[in-house]
Amino acid sequence: MEQTTTKREDISSIDYQEFVINMGPQHPSTHGVLRLMLKLKGEIVEVVQPHCGYIHRGIEKMCEHITYPQTIHLTDRLDYLSAHMNNEAVCLLVENALQIEVPERVKYIRTILDELTRLASHQLWWCAFGMDMGALTTFFYGLRDREKILDIFEKTTGSRLIQSFNVPGGLMNDIHKDFQKEVKEFIKYFRKILPEYDQLLTGNVIFQQRTKDIGILTKEDAINFGVTGPSGRGSGFSCDVRKIAPYSAYPYVKFEEKLQTKGDTFSRYMVRMHEMWESMNILEQLIDNIPEGTHAVKMKPIIKLPEGEYYQRVEASRGEFGVHVISDGNKTPYRFKLRSPNFMNLSVMHHISRNHKIADLIAISGSLDLVIPDIDR
Amino acid sequence: MIKEYFKDVFSGIASLLRGMKVTLSYFVRPSTIITQKYPENRAELKMFEAFRGEVVMPHNENNEHKCTGCGICEINCPNGSIEIISKFEVGEDGKKRKVIDQHIYRLAMCTFCGLCIKTCPSNALAWGQEFEHAVFDRTKLTKVLNQEGSTVQKGVKE
């Protein structure tokens, strides 16, 4: 960072022209319709101003007009790579508000699917991040292994990405009879493959030079901006909701919250790589111990929450996902507010990418792992 | 200084070769190829029971279904992709009864949330395993789920 600052001063003496360009909304490296307005001096980024709203669908407002079971299919479409966790937040909120205890089997299956979703999401992030850096091979390898998880999802939940599998009170249907066997096979397979990821990308000299000491986010800034998830943990901010406020079957499992202290792009990368190992540890603890029982408790045909305010948070694959519902006792919520992790993570963009080159901006936005529909909602 | 420079160069080359080794090792392991030959394997490509292809209404061999036309699926659908048109029919006992005329399902609007199937009190709806939905005319995506001339199965609760 110091080096670039000195370089910047050299450049300013030559009096480069300042100019403003739009990165996006149709830029392949922004992973969606995100428009970043950049003020540049030569190749050096001075101001990053994100412009949101290109994929705004008004999901919060739409949720005020539909019933609680119907909101599930909309929360799927926020952060589509952690659809299962988003659904779980709504389901847990309704269950806690009505004081319904779901069967142990439901808790276990939900947690297993959570971790599988996290794995699939991190795999996709890994391959897209590698591609941002110019390594095309990673894209194929990541997608190849993600396919195996999606096949497991498809058999049990019926769809691959947007599952709508959680319902208030339990699950849509019971797991497929091959589910446990296939998850175990996948863990066995992926434990062999994950070191290959490290060989391919982590140790690569080009990759290391492009990520180390780039986009440093201090712990204080992470807390101030509300950067959660792996991006916050890369700065040493202990913010794992699975640890702070355990839900579903997380109280029953032992796992570590992986922290890195440096806060640069490479630390955020390493947190996610370590999290994949931890996810597999959690899966191994749960997969053999799924208790017998029903997959859902019987709910009333029309769910009405008692009057009041409710908040439920879960750890989605990109950070803390929260649902805040104000109910006036009707079958539809009075106000449905979503705290999406990507919006907070985006807010730190300008702060950490100042005085870096444009190419580093791509690395930083890749390491924050933004999903644009979650930002705009 | 020069020593460090060369050290960096060689360790860099070594790291690149390590990555290349992974890629090259796949060339000599054809068993790791996972791609499917899709249009050719159509005959053996079977989807699973839970697969969400489309909403269907199963009929038995006597062309009978279980739908009573209560309209719960229509109420529960978040996008309005289900519409039920009912008619009045005089039953055996001479009473006028409301029965289903057309169960209209608009596949183009469906988000596959599964609430209609979950909430149906008589289990009249189910998931179909069809996944090739591409058509040239979008009106073909509006389907009538109950077959022509079909009746309600006996014993299904009103």
Side-chain angles (χ1 to χ4, degrees), chain B residues 31-60:
Chain B
S31 62
T32 51
I33 295 171
I34 56 150
T35 40
Q36 294 181 11
K37 288 186 175 171
Y38 162 56
E40 287 86 0
N41 69 353
R42 245 185 195 159
E44 65 262 27
L45 196 64
K46 281 273 176 294
M47 284 297 153
F48 327 103
E49 197 196 341
F51 180 71
R52 301 182 183 187
E54 59 179 335
V55 176
V56 292
M57 190 184 282
H59 286 61
N60 66 3

Side-chain angles (χ1 to χ4, degrees), chain A residues 342-370:
Chain A
N342 287 294
F343 187 69
M344 311 295 171
N345 293 1
L346 174 73
S347 66
V348 88
M349 265 300 258
H350 166 68
H351 190 75
I352 60 175
S353 49
R354 249 180 325 191
N355 298 336
H356 282 302
K357 300 244 171 72
I358 291 190
D360 298 334
L361 184 74
I362 306 290
I364 291 165
S365 80
S367 75
L368 288 175
D369 194 13
L370 301 172

Side-chain angles (χ1 to χ4, degrees), chain A residues 69-70 73 77 137 141 144 148 154-159 163-164 167 172 193 196 199-200 203-206, chain B residues 12 15-16 18-19 22-23 26 29 34 47-48 50-52 75-79 111-115 118:
Chain A
Q70 287 177 344
H73 92 292
R77 285 158 173 78
T137 326
Y141 286 12
R144 174 197 62 190
K148 291 193 186 294
E154 198 176 22
K155 262 192 181 175
T156 289
T157 67
S159 38
Q163 297 138 355
S164 303
V167 286
M172 195 61 110
I193 291 288
E196 228 169 60
Q199 282 175 20
L200 203 63
N204 188 301
V205 63
I206 303 168
Chain B
S15 80
L16 292 179
R18 222 174 295 131
V22 176
T23 309
Y26 278 102
R29 283 188 286 161
I34 56 150
M47 284 297 153
F48 327 103
F51 180 71
R52 301 182 183 187
I75 297 165
N76 272 297
C77 182
N79 328 297
T111 50
F112 305 96
C113 65
L115 283 177
K118 189 178 162 282

